[in-house]
Amino acid sequence: MAGKVALLLWAQTLGLAGAQTTQLLVQPPWTPAVLWDRVTLTCQGSGTAGATTWYKDGRRWGQDGRDSFLVTESGTYTCDRPGSGRSPPVLVSNEPLVLQVPARALLEGDTVTLRCRGRPDKPVSIVRFYRDNQNLSGSMNSTEMSLSHLQLHSSGRYRCTGWVGSVVKVSAPVSVTVHGVPPSGVSVSVQPPGGQVALGDILVLSCTVAMGTGPLSFSWHREGSGATLGTGPRLELRHVGDKDSGHYQCRVSDGESVAQSVPLNVTVLVPVANATITPGPPALQVRPGDPVTLRCSVQVGSAPVTFTWLHNGQELARGPLLEIGDVDVGHSGTYQCMATNQLGQDGHRVFRALSPELALEVTPQGTTGHLWITVAAGLGGSLLFLVLLVGGAVGWHRWNSMAARNQQERAPLEPPAPPEEGEVLYTHVVITEQMGASPRATTLQDPQVTYAELPATHG
């Protein structure tokens, strides 16, 4: 019983058991303590100093108000501090033969020394050590025995026998418990690297422990979610969605203590999709000199998203806006926008979305010109006569038409007298022709005009 009490104290000292915070420390640090070692007990806790209450063998002891004292009587001691409760008990023995073990928690891989002791005036000889009634090998001439590389199965009830004077004595059993090394140094690794995973892909998290022995249990948790996501050292999520983004943490327990990793941030990236250009395809007609602004956007895609503009398949500019202040014929062609985003700063995966093509047509304004030419004498013979005849007939017809209209409104005018012999007649013929210049021509050529003096004719 004494050994169980002492080992419980060690466990609480290392935070391996219980929730009590008041501790009873023993000096020298062996358990059970022996009266002839001049044992000092010290009560430690979060309560007010100088307000300690002491108990011996379950009854209040007369050392109230003192935090430590020198033990003068054998027995089982506890202390109480206001606000932190009562400590585990400590046994101070005065038996003729005592088996002692260090007053600390024993972990896997440790080395422990067992001591078989008698009173100073009663030397001990021919000592044997036992675990669970099994004789342990060792020299019978030594009162100490070392056990190295402790394992969990090294736990058990230990005792010793020896000759005290002329009598064989048997010590009280001491329970020795070997604890697994508490887990520590818990870390999480992730695939893909950097904790960024594309929508619909697989996310794999792995938990490792730098130190820790004994049976270890693992559990996975995501910040904001109370549910346990997994119970093994590896967590695999298939077809991840937006809801899977967040901070992930691995917790490791050996049944007595818990260690957890630093939270790992996981980001589920949505690849860009459905890139579009505004104004939309398929065609856009503008005139030279007009400004043109095209905007590119995506329906979905995690930031940051970059935009690249292509003109006839060649990279032209970058950014969500393409602005052309003064278009000309050279800006005609097909335009496309390419949107991209990527996983990780190293860009180990890049996603692209290409918009439909937009045909931009720069149409020059059509130009139709008129050429005015005045023709006079200088034409030969019959051609000149024919021109004059036609011109005279047309002129006479137009004069008669105008005269008829004017006659309805006012008195008729006297027709002009036919030209007399020797008078000079001036006339002109207007020739209109379609210009054959290029569509970019903006002016007409000035027609050449020639004047000639023609002799009057009769009839």
Side-chain angles (χ1 to χ4, degrees), residues 183-238:
S184 62
V186 181
S187 61
V188 173
S189 59
V190 60
Q191 286 291 338
Q196 287 194 342
V197 58
L199 186 71
D201 282 358
I202 299 177
L203 174 69
V204 179
L205 300 172
S206 300
C207 186
T208 57
V209 182
M211 295 182 61
T213 59
L216 300 177
S217 61
F218 297 81
S219 61
W220 291 94
H221 307 268
R222 184 176 67 245
E223 184 180 16
S225 174
T228 299
L229 304 178
T231 57
R234 188 171 183 268
L235 176 66
E236 182 175 311
L237 300 179
R238 294 180 174 271

Side-chain angles (χ1 to χ4, degrees), residues 75 140 158 163 204 228 246 266 429 432:
M140 292 186 297
Y158 288 76
W163 286 83
V204 179
T228 299
V266 171
V429 177
T432 302

